[in-house]
Amino acid sequence: MSDIKMSIGDKITLGLLVSMSFFLMCDLYITPGIVTELAAEYHVAESNIGYVGSAFVLIGAIISIFFGYMADKASRKRLLVATVLIGEIPCFMTGLPFFTPDLKSFFILRILTGIGVGGIYPLTFSLISDYFSARHRAFASATIDIAWGLGMMAGPMLAAFAVSTGYGWRLAYILAALPNLPIALIFIFVARDPERGRTEDALEALIQDGLAYSQKIKLSDFKIIFKTRTNLLLFLQGIPGCIPWGILPFWIITFMETQRGFTKIQATTIWELFGIGTVTGGILWAILGDKLFNKKPSYLPMVCTAGVFIGTIMMFGLLNIPISPQTLTGLWAIGFFTMAFMTGIFISVPSSNNKAILMNINRPEHRGSVFAVFNITDNIGKGIGPALGGILLSSGYTFTFMMNFAISWWILCAAIFSLIIFTITSDRQRLLDHLDIKAKEMSKGTMSGKENPTMA
């Protein structure tokens, strides 16, 4: 199996990708930390703010199909820089009172930022698939997930810091946007587009000898993408799997404050420990995932399914155990905070490995588009989550019902994921067979001294 080493430049590039992903995700999770402040400033119900979060995610996810398709045809480096600028310039503007005097202007700027967040997703994982071999892809993709997890935790903290200053909540958006502008500039000069297919066993030696895997995606190739059963199952599980991720980050701090009576610090601490758990689990499950996949592909979805079931049970406990702020002391506090941390660890199993699975069963020229489609299905749940939570609340349902309703969708996610156990091995073998055929075509073209028409 290919174990191609990354150059120093590629490692720096990966670090820049991680940094850009962190700040974009930090920006995404500022709004959930200031729902109360936004509602007060714009004189609207808190439930209405959920629509802003939904539009942010859904429009960005839909637009990502364009970036994903272009990632399989054009320079991924230039596209990535463009998406970062599209996301961060409006984010910076959100922090200036002149540009956000009312909810409508705030809404428009958040949508523009969402386009940048949606675009970076397929581009990032398309690049990673050509920086890392199948032996390390779960770990590599987990570094991006870790950046997202850290950003998910940093966003509410940044919001809380901004609210405590004289400038107010807008400062958080400025602080989240500014770092990515010089990082994008550095990326222009440091990063390179890796050769497509360079980390595949069948193609590695040929590409090192100067040949190019120049296959480009065609619109008709989407039939191949959707005929791959593991792709379909991963796309489908993302919808129910991400409804909780749309509701929880947006509403859980408010839930813990208004319904459970916790202080903002206590509520934020519970969420932060859950986030730390997802980051820790992201590292551990990615390392284990790489080992399991290379031993036997079907072992990986088995572990993912078990992790979701266990994490769901623990999250139900976290939301419903009758503990009050007054009793959140001593051993009770240690136990409750530990449960938040462990819940994050178990529920992070799929997010650490599903992107590696997609890399390992799809052709190099398809991966940008595959991740764009995955981003759409993955974000349908995240996108409708904030608005769905607001609708449930405005319809008279209790906060507790809304939170438990969200968590129940993980059960369906786990059930769908379990089906991948029976499809992943054959889909992986189908890719390997295809790459072997293309490698032979490349070799024959070289020996005859003519350009290989099938690869052009």
Side-chain angles (χ1 to χ4, degrees), residues 296-311:
K296 187 175 181 180
S298 61
Y299 287 163
L300 187 50
M302 289 181 187
V303 172
C304 291
T305 301
V308 175
F309 274 122
I310 295 172

Side-chain angles (χ1 to χ4, degrees), residues 117-185:
V117 174
I120 198 174
Y121 188 100
L123 290 165
T124 297
F125 289 105
S126 174
L127 286 167
I128 283 180
S129 66
D130 286 323
Y131 286 133
F132 285 95
S133 68
R135 189 180 298 275
H136 302 299
R137 282 175 182 156
F139 180 80
S141 63
T143 61
I144 302 297
D145 285 333
I146 290 168
W148 289 346
L150 292 174
M152 181 176 67
M153 292 186 291
M157 293 177 65
L158 195 57
F161 167 76
V163 168
S164 68
T165 68
Y167 193 86
W169 59 263
R170 288 178 174 85
L171 178 62
Y173 292 104
I174 294 176
L175 296 177
L178 279 178
N180 256 350
L181 301 179
I183 292 174
L185 182 63

